[in-house]
Amino acid sequence: MKPSKLISPVDLQKLTTLIQESQFKLIFIGSPRDRLSRLIVPKLKYALKLNSIQAYYFDFADADPDDYQSLFTGLALPPCPV
């Protein structure tokens, strides 16, 4: 997703910080190479615009799987497709 006033890309360090904070946030974890992510993004953008909320976007294709899998496992998230 391209950055905009409603979409903020984050790296793994910022993602970890966002998850550890106790405030409500919408975090989308996806990748342009992932078919399901490409299907979700247009609907997500519409919902963000309609509700005037901000989402944080983590592109797992830009990070090393060994780094983010331990974070995701701790949150009980399934592994990302390769």
Side-chain angles (χ1 to χ4, degrees), residues 50-79:
L50 185 66
N51 295 299
S52 297
I53 60 173
Q54 182 178 17
Y56 297 91
Y57 172 61
F58 175 70
D59 183 350
F60 65 83
D62 289 343
D64 181 18
D66 292 335
D67 293 338
Y68 65 72
Q69 287 301 353
S70 62
L71 175 64
F72 291 178
T73 302
L75 296 169
L77 294 173

Side-chain angles (χ1 to χ4, degrees), residues 1 12 15-16 26 30 37 39-40 42 48 72:
M1 279 194 281
L12 185 60
L15 176 67
T16 305
L26 178 62
S37 294
L39 292 172
I40 293 170
L48 294 173
F72 291 178

Side-chain angles (χ1 to χ4, degrees), residues 34-44:
D34 177 49
R35 183 177 178 268
L36 185 57
S37 294
R38 290 191 309 267
L39 292 172
I40 293 170
V41 167
K43 293 169 181 58
L44 178 62

